Structures are given as structure tokens and as C-alpha cells.
Amino acid sequence: MGGNHSRHGDIFTHGPDLLKNILEEVANRLQNSGEPETDEIIMDGVRCMVARSLSVDSAVELTTPLPDPFARDLSAASHPEHLAFEQCRKCSDIFTVRLQDGGVVSIICGVPEAGNCYKAMSYVWGDTSLLDVPCRRCGHISVIPMANAQRFRNLMELGGSRNHIWLDAISIDQTDPNDINACVAVMGSIYRNADRVSVLLPAGDSIAFEFLCTIECHAMVILCHHQNFLDNSEITIPFPTGESLSQITQHLMENTKRLRTHTSLMAYWNRAWTFQEWALAKDLEVAVEGGQAQTCSRLKSVALGAGMLVSKFKLLYGQYAKINVGFDRTAIVEAWENIKCLFPEEDLFRTYEEVDSEEVSFQTNFPHFGVNKQLGLHDAPGMSLESRTDQTARLRARLLLLLSNFSMSPRAAKYDADLVACWASTCDISYGYDRNDSFPASLHKAATALRAQGITLYQFLPETRGGKHPPFDFFCDYARGHIQLSTGGRVMYPGAPLFTGRADTSMHLISSVNKVELPTQWVEFESSSLRPVCGAIFEKLIGFKNAELILAKFNNISYGEVLGPSGLMFFSLEGLIKVALETLDVNQLAFCRLCVVSIPFLKAGQSEGTFHILTWAIVPRDIKRGALRVCRESVNGTLVLICKQDGAKHIVAYLTLTDKLCGTFLLQTDSNGYVDLTFKTPELSGMTISVHPQKGVKYLRGRVPLEDEIAATVLPA
């Protein structure tokens, strides 16, 4: 890690109290300063995060380390017979537990009442046993699912004396199905309404904890020296590190990047339910088992505050920045995405639907008029953030923002159905949850409920059995945001393919090939109605043995041009497809064929002169060309390839249209066959209009001819 956290040990040695004092000093300076216009652009939002870090005072200063529950040398006090409640659900409306220092922590029963102050606890359940915990007041024995007695002790100590906490294993009456259902249905609200979320990392995640401590420490140093960013002036910090502000800034950005890369290896970030607990937190307090007596007490707020400060500074000053952040303006948005993904904040971040592409384009070229749209941020000129007032808009934004983050890392759950329930409950989505459902069945229920609320969820892959990866992995392929590989990874597509109907071409090709398994079998769900497309022309299906032929075909069927040498601003599609093919398993490619279909199209405003749109899909080798037909499915109105097998019609693939610069799109029509697609060339910070000859927006507007009802026959070979 760049810059070990012990080098800034002064902040942590004195614990949360010193941290609070430093933040109060920063907050006072920010609140009382009258910044000129450029400074105001930088500080917008930063003030809010500093103020939020001071809004609650429930942080815990550990006096002793939290032992590893699975260490062999645990003390006798960690044995189950030493556990007890001072009062419990049977004799009171709360549980209370006495801590090592003699203080008492209170545990809320059921759903917390509105307006109550509390901390929500987050940890990895893992394999649990049932602990019998007696109540000293009434003698009742509560049965608590927990890894062991030491984990119980650790959670209580992190909860802290005089604090009220919400702990799922205890707050939810595990013997009452009604209480379980009531709490699970509003789990997202429970964690969002908490003053902070206290995270207990397992001992195996100690490396992640070191990263988090380092990130919080560097963020604090940056916030304490915010005036240097406003003045564009470098400084060497004499104590405790002797490093320059440039070095501290580079440590922060590098460590967030490295932590984001390594979260997939960490137990806490691999679990399904811990995702929502971390993502919805207003602020984060983090400790680790088996480590030192140390916590990160205001992690999310200070990390976001410092990340915004650095990102806005670099976008505004560009090559004239005297504080070297470690990369140029073209990479700052990607660096900021690392911080956004690690520390989601729904009140601060805009969804792709809330970002005007024209405003982003303007700010990309003229950042001194503002940078919030470019960074996907809400304006926050004061000392607090405003939540979305409309409940439907708030839940929709939560889904759009958090599901992409959820899909960034591998997730594990005891039941496959929980891989859906964990994010569905975050958004208070009500559907027929059954823990025994398969992942596809559970996803189908949740998607149906979402669509009933007016949220469009696009399908890119057919509902077929098998494939090279589990169904959850294929879902994540399209639920996460795609990097626009044609830009060399410098730009993210706005919104995940699941919500936009647009994917990166290479990534869609890889997922489509990996989804195929022979013989082709379909998962049976209620089918949508289908309307045939008139006049579709099928080309000969192409196998993947001849890579040169495949590359040439993709070059011919994709629209747009990459001007200038590949890699100068954009990379050629042919080169990207070649790399994608090289990453795919040869045996898997042998199962597949490229299907190119020419779709008749009448341009908007024209009454005659039909031309054809070139579309493509990956089809299994055991599906014959003569069995294929092009139809419009009724769920989202996208064009699909279908075949008839055993008297039933099945979707074989979803047809897509590719632009060399803008990605791959599902071809969606309304009930009359009308198409309205927008293709916008990506823009990179630091590349102005004068050196951007491809800048612009293109439209595909017109109509695809549809039949009134599906015919019984299929197209001849």
C-alpha cells in the first residue's frame, strides 16, 4: 500500500475524539469561507460530507483488540456459558448486554421506530450455531444464531456503551416468521435510516482493513489541507510523514483503486446480504477481528469528501495543477468511479437518467462552468444533502445506483434465491420470495414485480439452461456498468445494459458465446407474445473456426468509423473483437455460430425507399437456420430470433445492432414497429472539440414492418 497508515498514526493513536476535533475545525473553515466561483465548484459537496461525518457521535474507541473468534487461544470469557442478557425481549422491549468496561449496549427489537437514533451492525454470518443466552432479569433463554460466543462479544464491543444498535440475529425474532418477513421487507430502510453502520470484518479481511485505515487517514490529511487545492499550491506536510500533498493524494487514489480490485478476494465483500448494509450506510465505522484496537470511525464521509476534492481540482486545473494527483484529466472520471463504487451514496450520486448528456458534454469541454454532471454528482452547495422526495423516484434511483455495484464482485449466499432477495429488499421490492427457488426463478419473480412498477429491465441472453458460468454470473454481466473498451477503458457507458439496452460489443460477444450449451434447452417461464417481422433476410450462419472471416464480418455489419490511427482516441472494433475471441475457450466457440440478419427499415419521414439494418446474434450450433424467424417480443419490444421446438416457440437470441464508437444496442420497437435509437460518440476529458472530429449525435428513427400475428411456418433455409 502506498503510504502505510501507521505513518499518519497520530490521527489514529488518539482515536475518534481527535478525528472529530479535526473535522470540526475543517467544517468551521468551510462554513465561514466565502469562496470565489472556482473554489465554490470544488467545495460543492465536500462541505456536506464533512458535516455528515460530524452529525452523529456514536463512534467507538476500542480499548482492547477484538479477538479472532476462531483462534485457538481464546480466553474462558469467550465460552458460551459466560454470555448473558441483562434484559431481553421477554421482559422488556429491548435487549441489553454488559460490556467489558461495565457499560451497557442496547439492542433494538424488531423494526426501529422512525426518528430513533441507532447503529446497524454488519458482519459475515458464515456457518452458525445456536447460542443459548439467558436473561439475568427474567431467566428466559434466547436462542441466537451466531458463529460462536466470541463473535457475539465482538459485536457487542463494537456496538459500544450507551449506544442502541440493530443486530439482525437478535433484533429479528428468529422464531417468528411474521417478524422475519416484516424486517426483511424493509431491510433497506433499516440500514439507510441508521446513524451509521458498524462493520465487523473477519480476521481474513485484515488486508482490506489496512487499506480502509490508510484511505481514511489520507482522506483526513487532504481535507485538512483543502485550502491548498483551492489555491493550487503544493505543500510538504512536516508531521507526521514528511510527504508532499501530491504524494498523499496519489496514495489515496492508488489505494482506492487497489482495494476495489481486491474486494472480490475478501469474505465480507463476497457475501450477498452485506452488500446492502455497506452500500446504504450514511457513514461507516469499521473494525477487524484479530487485529489492533483500532476503528475507522467516519470512513465513507471523509473518503467521499476527499475524493470529490481531488477529482474536481484536477478537472478544473488540468495540466496546470501544481498538486500532482498521479494521472491526467482523461483518467480522473475513472479514478473517481473507484471511490464511488467503494462508497455508494444515493443522495450524492446521480443516476444515468438524471444526467443530461449535453450538460456532460459541455462540462467536459468547459469544466470551469461546473463539473458535477461530469462526475455524476448532485449539486450540494450547503452543508447537507437533500434526499429525493418522491418515494418511487428514490427507490428507482437506489436500484439503478446500487445494483451495478452489487454486480461488480462475486457474491455468495446460503440460498440461490437470496442472491435476488438481498438487492430486491434493498429497494423494498415485494414479490413471492421462496428460499427454495432457483436463481432464474427468483429473478423472474423480482423482474416481473419491477416491470409492474414501470421499470424496464432488458434481456440480452435467452432463458436457456447451462452455459460456461452460473446464471447469477450472466445476470451480473449486464447488471454492472460496462467499460467502453473502444476508449481504451477511459469511459463508462451511462447506466448498466440491464436498464439501457446498450452493452459494450466485446463484452456482449463474450457473454453470448459463454451462455451457449449443447443440446439447447430452455427454462420454462410464461412466454411473451410474439409478432413476426416482415421481410427479414438471413445470411449464412458462420462458425468461429475462421477468425479472419468473423472479424471481416463484424467490420462489415457495424456502423460508424474510427477516424485516425487505432488507439489515438479510439480503438478499432476489429482489434477489440480479435482480443475477445482470443480470450474465449476454443471448445466453447465451437458450440456457436454468428447469425447476421438484415431487417427491412423505413426511415422516419419517408413513405417509400425501404433499406435494411444489419443486426447480429450468437446462436447455438444445434439450431438450424431454417428453423429461425425474427419476431418482436412483447415484454420490452425488442427483436429476437425464435425457433419452434416440440410445438413451443422459444427465444434463441436477442438481435443487436453495433456502432463502432457507441457500442451494441438491442433493437427495440413500439407496438407499431417504430424505432428511436440515439448514438452518441463518447467524449474524453482533456480532448476538446477542435481535436474531436467525431463528436456528435446520430439517430436511427423509422419503422420495422410487423405482421399482425405469428404464422405457423418458419423461414425456409
Side-chain angles (χ1 to χ4, degrees):
M1 288 178 292
N4 187 279
H5 69 267
S6 63
R7 305 171 79 181
H8 298 283
D10 185 64
I11 289 177
F12 293 108
T13 301
H14 293 81
D17 289 339
L18 176 61
L19 190 60
K20 180 183 177 183
N21 293 338
I22 294 172
L23 286 167
E24 285 177 343
E25 181 181 346
V26 174
N28 289 332
R29 292 204 305 265
L30 293 178
Q31 192 169 21
N32 297 326
S33 61
E35 297 90 349
E37 185 174 344
T38 299
D39 293 357
E40 184 63 31
I41 292 173
I42 294 178
M43 299 312 299
D44 186 331
V46 177
R47 295 188 197 88
C48 296
M49 289 296 99
V50 173
R52 175 173 285 188
S53 71
L54 296 167
S55 61
V56 292
D57 195 22
S58 56
V60 172
E61 184 171 357
L62 296 175
T63 57
T64 59
L66 302 176
D68 180 354
F70 305 104
R72 295 182 178 179
D73 56 348
L74 291 177
S75 67
S78 66
H79 294 172
E81 58 266 25
H82 293 276
L83 298 180
F85 291 119
E86 300 300 313
Q87 53 187 336
C88 71
R89 190 190 305 270
K90 193 77 172 178
C91 60
S92 175
D93 58 352
I94 59 171
F95 291 87
T96 57
V97 175
R98 191 163 300 281
L99 304 177
Q100 293 181 47
D101 63 1
V104 173
V105 60
S106 302
I107 307 167
I108 297 169
C109 295
V111 178
E113 294 183 7
N116 280 6
C117 296
Y118 65 96
K119 297 199 300 185
M121 309 303 291
S122 178
Y123 61 104
V124 176
W125 272 50
D127 294 329
T128 61
S129 58
L130 297 178
L131 304 181
D132 293 334
V133 185
C135 176
R136 287 196 171 102
R137 173 190 281 187
C138 69
H140 176 74
I141 295 178
S142 300
V143 180
I144 308 299
M146 191 68 58
N148 55 32
Q150 186 60 58
R151 171 65 55 76
F152 179 93
R153 286 285 186 195
N154 290 346
L155 287 166
M156 295 303 102
E157 294 297 329
L158 182 58
S161 180
R162 298 187 300 277
N163 287 328
H164 283 72
I165 66 173
W166 193 90
L167 176 61
D168 52 5
I170 300 175
S171 297
I172 302 175
D173 186 347
Q174 302 294 329
T175 66
D176 183 355
N178 292 328
D179 196 47
I180 293 173
N181 291 334
C183 290
V184 169
V186 293
M187 197 73 78
S189 297
I190 290 173
Y191 279 90
R192 184 58 184 172
N193 293 335
D195 296 323
R196 72 176 69 217
V197 172
S198 293
V199 176
L200 179 63
L201 296 179
D205 287 352
S206 58
I207 294 177
F209 182 69
E210 289 187 24
F211 270 114
L212 294 172
C213 288
T214 306
I215 287 169
E216 184 180 60
C217 180
H218 290 149
M220 283 295 305
V221 174
I222 288 169
L223 290 174
C224 288
H225 294 86
H226 66 274
Q227 191 62 47
N228 291 88
F229 290 90
L230 301 180
D231 297 338
N232 191 21
S233 61
E234 177 64 286
I235 185 176
T236 297
I237 302 165
F239 181 81
T241 68
E243 293 181 301
S244 68
L245 195 53
S246 292
Q247 291 172 304
I248 298 295
T249 301
Q250 290 171 30
H251 293 333
L252 173 70
M253 306 309 277
E254 179 61 26
N255 282 324
T256 53
K257 178 180 179 180
R258 293 177 66 187
L259 178 58
R260 184 186 176 190
T261 302
H262 287 87
T263 51
S264 61
L265 305 176
M266 306 297 173
Y268 180 86
W269 283 271
N270 281 346
R271 302 304 297 177
W273 287 103
T274 54
F275 156 75
Q276 65 165 292
E277 299 160 12
W278 177 278
L280 292 177
K282 292 177 182 175
D283 214 338
L284 289 163
E285 175 182 52
V286 187
V288 66
E289 294 174 323
Q292 300 177 358
Q294 182 176 331
T295 60
C296 300
S297 57
R298 292 170 170 84
L299 177 62
K300 177 183 276 191
S301 54
V302 298
L304 287 174
M308 279 189 288
L309 181 63
V310 171
S311 300
K312 292 183 175 188
F313 165 77
K314 184 60 180 178
L315 286 176
L316 279 167
Y317 285 99
Q319 67 268 35
Y320 302 107
K322 294 180 181 178
I323 301 172
N324 181 7
V325 304
F327 37 76
D328 60 25
R329 279 184 60 202
T330 61
I332 193 66
V333 175
E334 181 184 356
W336 169 240
E337 283 295 324
N338 291 327
I339 299 176
K340 287 176 67 177
C341 287
L342 284 175
F343 306 106
E345 175 44 61
E346 62 180 40
D347 291 342
L348 182 63
F349 301 160
R350 293 175 183 264
T351 69
Y352 77 93
E353 295 177 329
E354 297 169 329
V355 175
D356 187 311
S357 60
E358 292 186 2
E359 291 182 345
V360 173
S361 175
F362 182 80
Q363 290 190 355
T364 299
N365 291 288
F366 305 106
H368 281 80
F369 287 93
V371 296
N372 279 348
K373 306 298 189 300
Q374 195 177 168
L375 294 174
L377 294 169
H378 282 293
D379 295 334
M383 297 294 286
S384 62
L385 292 173
E386 297 294 330
S387 299
R388 296 169 179 83
T389 55
D390 181 75
Q391 182 178 3
T392 301
R394 184 166 62 252
L395 293 180
R396 181 180 178 86
R398 182 175 292 178
L399 179 68
L400 298 182
L401 288 169
L402 299 189
L403 189 53
S404 182
N405 278 5
F406 171 78
S407 306
M408 295 299 292
S409 298
R411 303 285 174 182
K414 184 175 182 180
Y415 302 102
D416 284 351
D418 284 348
L419 293 172
V420 175
C422 63
W423 56 263
S425 65
T426 297
C427 302
D428 297 338
I429 301 167
S430 178
Y431 68 100
Y433 168 74
D434 183 342
R435 66 173 55 174
N436 297 314
D437 279 342
S438 66
F439 176 80
S442 186
L443 178 61
H444 181 76
K445 288 180 179 180
T448 301
L450 283 167
R451 288 175 177 133
Q453 295 183 27
I455 296 176
T456 299
L457 298 179
Y458 289 101
Q459 188 102 0
F460 279 80
L461 301 177
E463 297 285 1
T464 53
R465 299 185 185 279
K468 195 173 178 64
H469 305 299
F472 175 68
D473 291 358
F474 288 114
F475 169 75
C476 290
D477 284 347
Y478 295 92
R480 70 170 67 97
H482 278 194
I483 297 172
Q484 196 157 358
L485 295 179
S486 63
T487 67
R490 292 171 288 181
V491 173
M492 295 287 293
Y493 285 105
L498 180 69
F499 302 109
T500 65
R502 175 171 70 168
D504 181 78
T505 305
S506 298
M507 298 177 76
H508 176 54
L509 172 63
I510 290 171
S511 297
S512 298
V513 169
N514 284 331
K515 185 67 175 75
V516 174
E517 182 171 306
L518 301 183
T520 303
Q521 297 178 333
W522 283 269
V523 178
E524 298 300 332
F525 295 126
E526 57 267 24
S527 59
S528 62
S529 60
L530 300 164
R531 290 182 64 188
V533 172
C534 303
I537 301 172
F538 286 78
E539 293 190 8
K540 182 179 179 180
L541 302 182
I542 305 173
F544 282 83
K545 287 184 179 180
N546 190 335
E548 294 301 321
L549 180 59
I550 292 290
L551 294 176
K553 179 57 67 175
F554 265 103
N555 189 55
N556 291 336
I557 64 176
S558 55
Y559 294 87
E561 293 295 334
V562 176
L563 303 179
S566 177
L568 177 63
M569 291 175 62
F570 300 97
F571 289 81
S572 72
L573 178 63
E574 186 176 352
L576 294 171
I577 295 296
K578 182 178 180 181
V579 171
L581 293 178
E582 290 171 349
T583 65
L584 286 163
D585 182 81
V586 174
N587 295 324
Q588 189 68 27
L589 283 168
F591 296 160
C592 308
R593 292 183 292 180
L594 175 65
C595 179
V596 176
V597 184
S598 181
I599 306 293
F601 189 77
L602 182 64
K603 288 184 178 181
Q606 295 184 1
S607 58
E608 56 184 22
T610 300
F611 78 106
H612 285 75
I613 301 172
L614 294 174
T615 62
W616 65 275
I618 300 300
V619 300
R621 191 181 63 198
D622 60 354
I623 304 295
K624 305 300 181 184
R625 187 181 68 158
L628 294 171
R629 187 161 191 176
V630 180
C631 290
R632 175 190 182 272
E633 52 83 17
S634 60
V635 174
N636 291 317
T638 55
L639 299 191
V640 296
L641 295 178
I642 70 160
C643 73
K644 190 174 182 180
Q645 189 177 90
D646 299 327
K649 302 178 183 71
H650 302 284
I651 294 178
V652 176
Y654 288 76
L655 287 173
T656 57
L657 179 151
T658 293
D659 183 272
K660 290 184 173 69
L661 293 179
C662 303
T664 288
F665 298 75
L666 293 170
L667 199 57
Q668 183 183 31
T669 81
D670 67 10
S671 58
N672 295 315
Y674 190 80
V675 176
D676 188 356
L677 280 179
T678 301
F679 304 86
K680 187 177 186 306
T681 302
E683 296 178 73
L684 308 178
S685 297
M687 295 185 178
T688 59
I689 296 173
S690 62
V691 294
H692 203 317
Q694 302 154 2
K695 181 184 183 298
V697 179
K698 298 174 290 185
Y699 302 96
L700 179 66
R701 292 170 176 163
R703 191 172 64 85
V704 171
L706 301 175
E707 293 181 13
D708 290 335
E709 59 183 2
I710 192 162
T713 58
V714 296
L715 289 177

